[in-house]
Amino acid sequence: MDTLRSKTYLSGFMAPVPDEIDAIGLAVTGTLPAELTGRYFRNGPNPLPGTDPGHNFAGQGMIHGVRLAGGRAEWYRNRWVRTPLFEGKRTGSLADVVANTHVIEHGGHIYALVENGLPYEISSELDTLGPVDFAGKLTTAMTAHPKEDPVTGDLHFFGYSARPPFLTYHVLSGGKLVRSTEITVPGPTMMHDFAVTEHYVVWLDLPVVFDAGLLGKNGIPYRWSDGYPARLGVMPRDGGDADVRWIDIAPGYAFHVGNAHEDDRGHIVLDAVRYDHGDFDELWQVLGGVTTPVESLASSDTGGVLYRWVVDPGRRTVSEHALDDAAVEFPTLNDEHVGRGNRYLYTVGAPFLVRKDTGPSVIKYDTAHGSRQVHALDPHWVVGEAVFVPGQDATAEDDGWLLSVITHETADAARLLVLDASDVAAGPVATVELPRRVPAGFHGSWIPDDAA
């Protein structure tokens, strides 16, 4: 057990909790907006007691849920996603996953997602209902970062694999899988996220790739490869593999896209959090991954930063630059602007994985004016993804709330923050005391009562 505790991704604010609990009538400081009636679910890795998955990304999925209604925090509960791997079994199918990365609602169903297998449906009470293959039509993995078109309601997603086909594009419409298209890439790239616009799909084909030599040695057998070129792929939504326009970019890696849209010139504007090689390896090492020695690499000494690519699809050219020098992660936005123009992006200060200058904070970027608002927290707190919830009868893009779980670095404590998205710097309008520490995790969603 002492050896397990020494692993960074199994200790401190990343340390898993040993059990599932329920608590009711949570204490609230401030005033919870009465319009927040629903559930906030957040997914993340939580290995079973006494086990080491070999990498932070490989721990069993656990969803933490908070029920809000009528200005009250009615309950907290946490549940493992019960997959065959949780039960210590293997089926030899795409159902053999840990389902630990995201949890979303789509079409009245709630799905726990991970990028190397099938989604798992869960109930509004966090019971595991089972794997979903959309009537047998989904035969690849499903990304943990699908994009729901706010106009059509269609869900766009992809699957990547260490074996051919390396990349497959899918579209879910009306609950049915209506399209699956293979996309050619040079090799088994780790494509964690992608982007859509009104007319295009944007692929991020970046230099973190599968390494068969790491099988059995590391929980996630991927590493940076200088021999794999970095490029963006622009594909018309109604096109296919032959229609993708590939454009080389400076080497870098992005786990998470903020958004993409087409500007008035027809150019594609893509915002994401980008790492250079040195900063990626520093983060990857903390998570348990195999890396090139960090000291041998040039590093920006910032960590991941908000970054912009502007692509001219016709000329196949791109310009790129950092939007800020703060170390951030988990970019989010008002989902009604996915694939369309957006002014605001929300991120969190990212010292929780790589200790840089940015302290624990929630940051609101105004991309139209190049400015930011910051809500800084005490340095002993670790800030989770800030999820945007639109306000009732909202009239502006930032008319709504941000929900974020924060975890204390050393104490057995966690809180749910509720901030006014239009005035992040003012600090939380309400804070919900959670009954236990919530390990630093990944992504979550607000699910209103009328959605699922």
Side-chain angles (χ1 to χ4, degrees), residues 208-234:
V208 175
V209 298
F210 175 75
D211 182 346
L214 297 178
L215 286 171
K217 301 177 184 178
N218 188 265
I220 303 293
Y222 286 79
R223 71 161 97 203
W224 185 290
S225 171
D226 284 328
Y228 194 96
R231 58 187 193 158
L232 299 178
V234 177

Side-chain angles (χ1 to χ4, degrees), residues 130-274:
V132 177
D133 61 9
F134 304 110
K137 291 188 175 182
L138 181 60
T139 59
T140 76
M142 177 177 179
T143 176
H145 291 288
K147 310 299 180 188
E148 182 175 307
D149 187 297
V151 177
T152 68
D154 292 346
L155 194 71
H156 298 257
F157 62 97
F158 66 92
Y160 76 83
S161 175
R163 302 188 182 102
F166 295 130
L167 178 63
T168 308
Y169 170 56
H170 303 282
V171 180
L172 191 72
S173 183
K176 297 180 180 179
L177 193 63
V178 298
R179 185 176 180 202
S180 295
T181 304
E182 293 182 19
I183 306 298
T184 301
V185 292
T189 177
M190 186 176 80
M191 192 177 293
H192 188 72
D193 204 349
F194 78 134
V196 297
T197 70
E198 183 177 1
H199 299 107
Y200 295 100
V201 175
V202 184
W203 304 112
L204 285 74
D205 189 20
L206 304 176
V208 175
V209 298
F210 175 75
D211 182 346
L214 297 178
L215 286 171
K217 301 177 184 178
N218 188 265
I220 303 293
Y222 286 79
R223 71 161 97 203
W224 185 290
S225 171
D226 284 328
Y228 194 96
R231 58 187 193 158
L232 299 178
V234 177
M235 184 183 82
R237 277 206 195 180
D238 58 358
D241 186 34
D243 304 301
V244 183
R245 303 166 192 172
W246 293 105
I247 302 161
D248 291 338
I249 58 174
Y253 190 77
F255 289 101
H256 299 122
V257 166
N259 196 31
H261 71 275
E262 299 157 43
D263 67 16
D264 55 10
R265 300 172 297 170
H267 295 177
I268 297 169
V269 180
L270 169 65
D271 295 336
V273 173
R274 176 189 179 273

Side-chain angles (χ1 to χ4, degrees), residues 40 42 330 348 352 361-362 382-387 403-407 441-442:
Y40 174 66
R42 201 225 66 192
F330 301 145
V348 298
F352 51 95
S361 52
V362 177
V382 177
V383 187
E385 178 187 61
V387 171
L403 305 183
S404 173
V405 170
I406 66 171
T407 296
F442 299 138

Side-chain angles (χ1 to χ4, degrees), residues 48-69:
L48 294 169
T51 66
D52 179 2
H55 193 287
N56 176 253
F57 288 3
Q60 301 293 338
M62 176 177 279
I63 300 178
H64 301 261
V66 181
R67 160 76 177 167
L68 305 179

Side-chain angles (χ1 to χ4, degrees), residues 301-377:
D301 199 34
T302 58
V305 298
L306 195 62
Y307 200 84
R308 172 167 287 180
W309 296 265
V310 181
V311 179
D312 182 335
R315 295 183 178 180
R316 300 194 184 195
T317 59
V318 62
S319 64
E320 51 182 302
H321 65 279
L323 295 177
D324 194 16
D325 60 0
V328 298
E329 252 302 352
F330 301 145
T332 57
L333 78 162
N334 180 337
D335 286 341
E336 290 300 312
H337 292 259
V338 168
R340 272 66 174 180
N342 65 291
R343 178 174 173 180
Y344 303 110
L345 285 173
Y346 307 94
T347 68
V348 298
F352 51 95
L353 295 179
V354 181
R355 292 293 173 187
K356 300 295 185 183
D357 292 338
T358 311
S361 52
V362 177
I363 304 172
K364 175 185 180 179
Y365 284 98
D366 182 337
T367 62
H369 292 94
S371 61
R372 66 182 183 182
Q373 290 184 18
V374 180
H375 168 57
L377 284 84

Side-chain angles (χ1 to χ4, degrees), residues 35-42 63-69 74-75 77 103 105 110 122-126 387 389 403 416 444-452:
E35 65 188 63
L36 290 177
T37 299
R39 294 160 171 81
Y40 174 66
F41 288 170
R42 201 225 66 192
I63 300 178
H64 301 261
V66 181
R67 160 76 177 167
L68 305 179
E74 294 187 339
W75 54 251
R77 65 178 55 129
V103 53
E105 181 277 327
I110 303 171
I122 63 171
S123 75
S124 60
E125 304 301 305
L126 294 184
V387 171
V389 182
L403 305 183
L416 175 68
S445 295
W446 170 254
I447 303 171
D449 281 358
D450 58 3

